[in-house]
Amino acid sequence: MARTGFCDSKALLDLHKKADERRAPLRTWANACGPIDRCQPVEVEESKMEPERRWERRPSAHTSEVIIMGFHEDSRTCKADGCVEAPVLPYLHSMQGLHSLHTLVPSLLRHEVEIALENLDLIWDRTYAWDMFLDMMRTQMQYSFPNADLPRQFTDATRAILVEWIIQVHELLQFQEETLYLAIHLLNHSLRQLKVSVANLQLLGMVCLFLAAKKEESLLPEVSALCSLMDHAYTKHQLLRMERKVLCALKFDLSFSPPLHFLLLFASVARCSATVVWMARYLLELSVLEAQCVVFLPVQLAGAALWLARHVLQECPTPEGEAAWCLASSIHVGSEPTLLRIMHILATAAAKASSQETCATFIKYSSSKTLQVSRHPGLNNAAGLLSVCS
């Protein structure tokens, strides 16, 4: 089976357990490997030495997803003749002089995440960068669905046509990319919580885009302009009434951590080239057309898109780039079967994107601004793309 390069360890957020049975919070686990002066002094008896704490990549024994690299109190495996240390971070195992690797890796990761968030203008003060990142990883749990089932009157093809139209309107209005992902997120929730007829499906899509723009954009179009984009099939009063229905159904909760933020964060930490980033953004946007992708977390979609982009482009690796990629891979984005399943979906979508009726994303990423990544010959070889996901 092909390896994804992302770690596969046990879950840290066991929210379904009782308070006294849960594992320590992410921040506690991450800071446990911080500099020595941050830790509480612990008195250790000579007769009972505390097991050494190490970060390690350990296969998961179950299918539950995890958030960040597993931290284990004891990473040793005992044999008959004594205890033998398990390998820690295989990718960096060959590096010399890193006797405190279990301390260095979390510190490096935290430093790189803080710099990446600041460079991406996602934060104003680096002091709170790590806390914001941990909050993004925690809160994304509520953004996926238990299944991809749609109401009986809708099909995956109907949804894809609607999303395709939203992408075109989004491009026409020159909204930010975050607005598109939020609009699709609101649409996915609304389709499951509202009783909407097929005749009002386009109206629902426009309302979701309008609500997303209110949250993400600084300049908004007039409601009458939105009605004109729908060829005046709906009135201004109908649009505003649908907006109230959607807000009430969502309980006015428009919060969302888009997969694009995770993608740009991982790419910044991994020192990916501009071509890899644009290719990953293209693959990630293809995922919004696929109804089966709603069951995955944003961080999983971002990780799979980035890894598949690296495979398609096959850029010559550099020592610095590989070290940076290994550091980014210490952020666990899901189990390996889950990532392979997502990559299979994205590879299939990319191979047939140019021949589909819903080809707005393909056209969007075929311009010189996006380095024409959708026309890359590697995407046309469906068998080659699918071979890495098998």
Side-chain angles (χ1 to χ4, degrees), residues 10-15 18-34 53 55 66-73 106 110 130-131 133-135 137-138:
K10 294 185 178 181
L12 298 185
L13 292 184
D14 300 323
L15 300 180
K18 297 181 181 179
D20 55 344
E21 297 177 349
R22 295 178 188 169
R23 297 171 180 242
L26 280 179
R27 185 176 181 182
T28 304
W29 290 76
N31 291 345
C33 291
R53 299 177 177 178
W55 289 80
V66 303
I67 298 303
I68 200 170
M69 182 184 218
F71 178 77
H72 303 275
E73 291 290 336
R110 175 169 183 163
W130 185 249
D131 292 330
F133 170 70
L134 296 182
D135 184 69
M137 299 294 281
R138 291 190 191 102

Side-chain angles (χ1 to χ4, degrees), residues 17 36 87 193 207 286 303 306 371:
K17 296 184 179 180
I36 301 300
Q193 298 183 16
V207 166
L286 287 177
L306 187 60
L371 304 183

Side-chain angles (χ1 to χ4, degrees), residues 19 32 46 64 83 101 140 154 168 255 324:
E46 295 183 359
S64 61
C83 291
L101 189 60
Q140 64 168 333
F154 303 125
Q168 294 177 3
S255 58

Side-chain angles (χ1 to χ4, degrees), residues 183-235:
I184 303 303
H185 169 70
L186 299 179
L187 176 66
N188 292 332
H189 273 278
S190 299
L191 286 175
R192 289 161 176 81
Q193 298 183 16
L194 281 177
K195 292 184 179 180
V196 183
S197 62
V198 177
N200 289 329
L201 200 55
Q202 186 181 25
L203 178 62
L204 177 63
M206 179 60 80
V207 166
C208 292
L209 183 60
F210 188 38
L211 288 173
K214 285 185 174 182
K215 185 175 183 292
E216 300 290 347
E217 304 293 336
S218 56
L219 296 176
L220 294 174
E222 295 287 341
V223 176
S224 57
L226 299 179
C227 293
S228 65
L229 290 174
M230 296 184 288
D231 200 19
H232 296 284
Y234 310 96
T235 64

